Structure formats: structure tokens, C-alpha cells
Amino acid sequence: MALLGSATARASSRPTAAGSAGTVQNGASQPLYSYANAVRETVWVDTGLDGDGNGRTDRVAADIIRPSEPAAAGLKIPVIMDASPYYSCCGRGNEDQLKTYDAQGKPLQFPLFYDNYFVSRGYAVVLVDLAGTNRSDGCVDVGGPSDITSAKAVVDWLNGRATGYSARTGGSSVTPAWTNGSVGMIGKSWDGTIANGVAATGVQGLKTIVPISAISSWYDYYRSDGAPLYSGTPADLAGEVESSTAVSHCSAVQKQLAAGSPSNGNWSSLWQQRDYVASAANVKASVFVVHGMQDLNVRDINFSQWWTALAQTGVDRKIWLSQTGHVDPFDYRRGAWVDTLHSWFDHYLLGVDNGIQNAPVADIERAPDTWTQDATWPAPGTVTSTVNLKPGALTTAAGSGTASFTDNPNLGEDDWAADVNSTTKEKTAFTTGALTQDLRMSGGGTITLSVKSSTKSAHLSAVLVDLGPAVIRNYEGAGAGITTLSTRSCWGDSTAGDSACFLDTAADTAQVGYTIFSRGWADLGHYAGLNQTATITPGTSYSITFNLAGTDHVVPAGHKLALIVAGTDNGLLNPASTKPTITVDLAHSSLHLPLVGGAGTLPQAVHPAALTATPLRGLPSDRAVLSDRTADFR
């Protein structure tokens, strides 16, 4: 879609039709209702749980803003809902907005632009405090039954299946007579994760979800094929967002979170409870997935495995993949995002026949602010293709030979890629020759390695690299690919307590000599599966297959494709207890890549690049900054 100006400017020529159905004109809902006179209220919904063990069921706070005119006219409206743990502790959006309230406790500021833009167009916006946060009862359990039930209960209340109250304790019952029960959930990071989890329950009334940079399985947030991506446990994350009231009552829940997430990388019942991919068959809502292909916080396996699982359900799907890290599309493609989201909600919540369900499924950012579209995703013609390994080379012929490296936990993927053309002891690299045609990968891949370790523990990393000059988003910078400007643009209506005007952004770019575009990590002790850690005997061969994250990347003609295999990826993977030397049996190792056009798009004969001591230029990375950012889940 073409970029448009601010919604405030567009609203200056409002049509005069009235009524919820009457807000739809020319294939889109129009801003006919008064934002200033909207109803602002809080309802506490009974979840049926007693997570904090105080002898009464928990109530969660749902802050609501809705236009007053439809109810007065006897019309019912749909709901856009964002359930979050961050409304009082940490904030939402690029400006870390918090909920605010007046002296009587009535909500004033609803974070983000959803209320400013959509309320006047005939939608209610409901922002839910997850259990144990802000003004809600209960305990945070980090994507588990409490988190999901506390959000699902609000969907149930909106559909007449749960009880809401006018107060946190006591109060009178409140019935949502103003809504038709159609709900669309949206949110970034933890918020989008909750949308995934609620959709996986199959709850009636949830018509669509828009998960942005969201988790589909919490195991894959903390672990990667047995290897630890983060120190600590979900208990640490719970402690960051819980309200002061919850902290004093929820120590037992935090102990369960710590005990159920073993540091050895084993699968557990805690992870099973938080694996929404396993319940994807229950999803009835349409799904609009948005993710950064360089998200080193919520790693990209989370979107690709969720997308693949949803393909089996037959639900309508759409996907946006950017070059950014952990960033909301409002901050990298604002005009197109607002317009597309508007059409999406109009179709799935208001029933507008605007054709978005027939539009191209995938939008992919190829270069900063340059996007392409595909009818389906992975792209049409994608074939999982086997690429074999020889010393220094990727090949379509049989693999042969061996390679070795010694784990150095002080180095990571940027160090390896910068020295990809040099022989260094901490990694081994395999490259094609210069490509004679573009090579596109669309989807997730896997790698199989046959290895011997010199010690009883080993972590493995594999990264795919595009070797050649390019301008890319600086996803390792402080803004994860964006720069925040001092100017503002407005997207909807404002009040004194809730502005629709947000800081503008621009792409933060860098000129590089290589681009890392897919990654995977694993613990060798889980070569036989995730249920338990196997004993590794030094000098014994083991075969392990692990995932390479979903991506959509074109290696241009003239560039080279490289695979780097190493140990600890500093800043992205915690080290093993030892520093092994790993020997790779190349004849029994291979890549399985989602190539558009299949293996025939690779050269039939490829050769390793000539070695050079000149390092390639990468992003202006600060690994400490990267580590700090990946620890900030928002």
C-alpha cells in the first residue's frame, strides 16, 4: 500500500454518516465518533483462578475506551485488545508509555496509537493488565496458565461467559452490552505472545490476532536445541513486571518457575505448558504475523515454526518480515502499517469486504525501506534442498573431508564473519564461489553435523552469511535498526491526557561487507532429543540436527554464500562448561536450505574463496549493548 500522511490530516474531511455500520464508507471505517467524549472505564474480570492463594478468585483489570454514540443508538461494536504485563512497570512502544489514571482511578492515557486511531472509527480498545501486574490480582507465570487465562477471561467476558465487576473487590457486576463480542488481539513481544497463547485455546469470539515479535514457544525463547540463550529463569522475568502486591504473595509461583526451567536445557512440563505451537490446531482466528528477521531477543524460530504450524489449520494468514531487530512496525513502516492494520481489523472485526484477505500474503523488507511482496510464504517455488560440505566449500556434490575448531567464548558471529576468508582456530567456514545468479532462501532450514568433541560438553553455532557489500539496517545498534527523531506525527485524535502524536523514526543503516541472515545453536548433549542430556564421551562421533531460524534473504549474483560453524556465539549463547576442540566429519554433515527454485539455483561446482588476511566490515557492534538489549524483552 502507498504511504499516507497522518491520520489527523486525513480525518479533516470526515463524512457525515452515523452509526457503527455507517462508519464504513468507500471500503473503510471512517472517524465519525468523538474521541473526546468516549467512555473510559475499568472493569475487573473474574478469572476463576486463585494464583496468589488469598482464598478468593483473581480479578484482572481491563481498561476500556469506547465511543459513546453506538451504545446510545443501540449499536454494538468490536474490540481491539492488548493484554500486557508492562502497563505500569516498563511501558509500551518506542516512548515507553504507561497507563495513567485520574484522581478517581478512571483511565486517562491508553498507551500506543490504537485508541487514538480506532475509537473514532467504531472500535473499543481494551488494555488488560495481566494477572499479578498493575491493578490486577494473581501472579505472573510468564506465558503459563495464569497469563493466558487472565487474558482469555476478558475475551470470555466480552462474549457473556465470564463475570466482570465495577471494583477490584466487591462492586457490582458489569455486562458489556455495548459489544458484539468480536475481538482482535494485538501486541508486541510479551503482549503478542499472549495473543498467540489465547488463540491456541480456540476461544470463541477471538476473530484475529496480530502478534508482533512474539514468542510461540517459551522454550525457544530461553533455549535453542538444548543450549541456553539466556542466564536465569522465567522467575527473573516475572519479578521484573509483578506489582508490589503480587511480589508479597507470589514467591511460590516464582519458585515453580525457577525449578521448572532447568539450566541443562532439558524439556520439562513447564515448557510444555508454554508451547503454543503444539496447540496450533486449536486456532480459529486469522493471524497477521510481524517479525524482524534480525530479532536477537525473540529469535526468529518463534515466528517461523508458528507460521508453519498454522498452515495446517487453514486460517487466514499474513506476514511482514523486516530487516530490523525487536521493533514495532509503527516505528519502521508507519504509514503502511496503520493503513494495513486498519484494513485488517475492518475486514476481520467489522466484516468489511475490502479484499485484504486476497492481497499478497507476505511483505519482505529487502533493503532499508525497500519492500517486496509474495502471494504466499515461504515464497512460491521454495524447495528444501541439500547442500553438502567439503573443506572450505559448500557443494551440491558429495561431501568429504574433516574440519575442526576450538571453542572461544569471547568471540561471536561478527568476529567469525569478519574473518571468514581467513583460517582461524575458533571457527570453520564453508563458502560458494561468486554466484552467477541471485540465490533466495525463504523459510527455515536445518543443519546436520557429525562431530567429535575433545571434552564432555560442547555448544555448537551455525550461521549463514551473505558475503558481499550491502547497506543494511543496523540491527545491533541501540534502536535495533531505527533512529528516533525529534519530530512528531499524529495518528488519530488527542486529549489533554492522551496524545495521538508520536516521535518519528528513520532507518539506522550501515555499509557492511557481509550480512548474517540466519542462525542456529545447539547443545551436543541433546543430540538424541530434548528430554534429557546425554553423556558425551570425548573422541566419540555424534550426529546432531538443529534448526536454522526462518528468514527470507536474497544473496545477490556476484556475492558468495557462506556457512560458519563454531562453538559459543558470544552475546547470543551461553558457553558450555568446557572449551572443546570439535572435529566435524564433513562427509556426514549437510545443510538443508529452503531455496526458491531448489538446489539447481546453486552453482554445480563451487570452490572455497582465496584466503585473505583483510577482515570484512560488519556492523558497528558493541556486544555489551547487544547483550543488554536481548535481556530487555519489551
Side-chain angles (χ1 to χ4, degrees):
M1 290 189 179
L3 297 181
L4 299 177
S6 78
T8 297
R10 293 201 297 272
S12 63
S13 57
R14 297 182 178 183
T16 57
S20 183
T23 63
V24 178
Q25 296 181 4
N26 301 319
S29 59
Q30 303 296 323
L32 302 178
Y33 298 132
S34 170
Y35 179 77
N37 295 330
V39 176
R40 295 164 172 83
E41 60 187 339
T42 303
V43 174
W44 279 265
V45 177
D46 195 328
T47 67
L49 303 175
D50 182 15
D52 50 19
N54 63 1
R56 62 176 185 267
T57 53
D58 303 327
R59 296 179 184 179
V60 294
D63 289 320
I64 301 165
I65 180 169
R66 56 185 174 87
S68 59
E69 296 92 340
L75 301 172
K76 297 180 183 294
I77 60 175
V79 170
I80 296 169
M81 176 173 150
D82 186 341
S84 176
Y86 291 126
Y87 287 131
S88 65
C89 72
C90 314
R92 304 311 297 127
N94 193 35
E95 299 177 52
D96 296 331
Q97 289 186 314
L98 302 173
K99 285 182 177 179
T100 62
Y101 305 89
D102 65 16
Q104 288 72 46
K106 183 179 293 187
L108 286 177
Q109 177 171 269
F110 288 71
L112 306 175
F113 79 99
Y114 308 136
D115 60 307
N116 308 95
Y117 187 83
F118 284 105
V119 167
S120 66
R121 288 170 165 79
Y123 293 85
V125 172
V126 178
L127 304 187
V128 180
D129 298 328
L130 290 185
T133 70
N134 200 19
R135 301 199 295 174
S136 289
D137 301 331
C139 298
V140 176
D141 68 353
V142 190
S146 177
D147 273 17
I148 301 305
T149 300
S150 64
K152 176 180 176 293
V154 179
V155 179
D156 284 331
W157 173 69
L158 292 165
N159 283 274
R161 299 187 298 267
T163 305
Y165 295 91
S166 60
R168 187 169 183 174
T169 59
S172 57
S173 64
V174 179
T175 301
W178 46 267
T179 181
N180 61 14
S182 293
V183 181
M185 292 186 68
I186 189 171
K188 177 195 168 196
S189 204
W190 199 329
D191 306 18
T193 301
I194 299 302
N196 284 342
V198 174
T201 70
V203 62
Q204 295 293 327
L206 183 62
K207 303 298 186 182
T208 190
I209 63 171
V210 185
I212 303 165
S213 304
I215 292 170
S216 60
S217 176
W218 281 87
Y219 179 91
D220 295 300
Y221 179 72
Y222 280 97
R223 310 283 184 257
S224 178
D225 287 293
L229 302 176
Y230 296 99
S231 300
T233 72
D236 303 312
L237 198 52
E240 292 182 12
V241 301
E242 281 182 334
S243 67
S244 57
T245 303
V247 168
S248 61
H249 295 291
C250 297
S251 60
V253 173
Q254 290 209 15
K255 289 179 181 177
Q256 292 170 359
L257 291 172
S261 50
S263 59
N264 60 13
N266 289 352
W267 188 259
S268 68
S269 59
L270 180 141
W271 301 128
Q272 185 65 54
Q273 281 185 321
R274 292 157 177 80
D275 180 14
Y276 315 131
V277 177
S279 300
N282 297 330
V283 175
K284 301 180 179 69
S286 62
V287 183
F288 186 174
V289 171
V290 181
H291 217 97
M293 291 185 288
Q294 297 289 2
D295 194 335
L296 301 178
N297 183 333
V298 178
R299 318 288 168 107
D300 289 342
I301 187 176
N302 281 280
F303 88 77
S304 57
Q305 66 187 0
W306 184 232
W307 181 265
T308 299
L310 290 170
Q312 308 306 311
T313 68
V315 300
D316 287 353
R317 295 175 300 152
K318 188 173 182 63
I319 190 167
W320 274 22
L321 297 175
S322 73
Q323 279 197 353
T324 68
H326 199 62
V327 182
D328 192 295
F330 188 73
D331 294 315
Y332 60 74
R333 202 187 185 196
R334 187 167 295 181
W337 171 242
V338 174
D339 291 337
T340 305
L341 190 64
H342 183 184
S343 295
W344 186 264
F345 282 147
D346 273 2
H347 180 71
Y348 290 102
L349 297 181
L350 286 179
V352 178
D353 185 13
N354 54 23
I356 193 168
Q357 76 279 15
N358 300 318
V361 165
D363 280 33
I364 313 294
E365 188 176 27
R366 292 288 166 216
D369 296 323
T370 300
W371 292 74
T372 62
Q373 294 183 317
D374 284 289
T376 60
W377 198 84
T382 299
V383 178
T384 299
S385 306
T386 298
V387 181
N388 296 314
L389 311 179
K390 290 183 176 181
L394 296 173
T395 179
T396 54
S400 62
T402 62
S404 64
F405 60 88
T406 300
D407 191 0
N408 182 348
N410 296 318
L411 301 178
E413 57 185 46
D414 288 318
D415 305 295
W416 309 331
D419 288 333
V420 68
N421 291 326
S422 301
T423 300
T424 56
K425 64 181 180 180
E426 74 279 349
K427 58 96 173 75
T428 185
F430 311 88
T431 69
T432 66
L435 299 176
T436 58
Q437 59 183 338
D438 291 353
L439 179 69
R440 180 180 177 186
M441 274 155 279
S442 182
T446 61
I447 184 169
T448 297
L449 296 173
S450 177
V451 300
K452 296 178 182 179
S453 172
S454 65
T455 63
K456 294 182 178 181
S457 66
H459 289 167
L460 300 170
S461 298
V463 297
L464 295 176
V465 190
D466 175 346
L467 299 179
V471 175
I472 66 172
R473 286 187 183 262
N474 179 21
Y475 61 85
E476 292 188 5
I482 65 165
T483 297
T484 302
L485 307 177
S486 60
T487 58
R488 291 182 180 271
S489 58
C490 304
W491 300 86
D493 302 306
S494 297
T495 62
D498 195 325
S499 174
C501 303
F502 298 85
L503 289 170
D504 295 318
T505 64
D508 177 15
T509 64
Q511 174 76 50
V512 296
Y514 66 85
T515 303
I516 298 170
F517 63 88
S518 183
R519 307 158 173 87
W521 307 272
D523 170 56
L524 184 57
H526 289 86
Y527 71 92
L530 298 179
N531 288 332
Q532 64 181 17
T533 308
T535 299
I536 298 299
T537 301
T540 298
S541 292
Y542 299 95
S543 181
I544 183 170
T545 298
F546 56 98
N547 293 303
L548 297 174
T551 188
D552 198 300
H553 183 83
V554 175
V555 183
H559 287 204
K560 301 173 185 177
L561 170 65
L563 164 70
I564 299 174
V565 179
T568 301
D569 194 346
N570 182 35
L572 296 175
L573 177 67
N574 288 346
S577 58
T578 60
K579 299 177 182 178
T581 295
I582 300 292
T583 301
V584 186
D585 177 2
L586 303 181
H588 296 93
S589 300
S590 57
L591 274 171
H592 305 278
L593 300 180
L595 300 181
V596 179
T601 57
L602 280 169
Q604 291 303 304
V606 292
H607 306 283
L611 297 183
T612 173
T614 304
L616 300 178
R617 176 192 295 177
L619 293 174
S621 174
D622 183 333
R623 305 306 290 182
V625 170
L626 178 60
S627 296
D628 287 344
R629 192 176 72 246
T630 56
D632 181 1
F633 180 38
R634 289 174 292 163

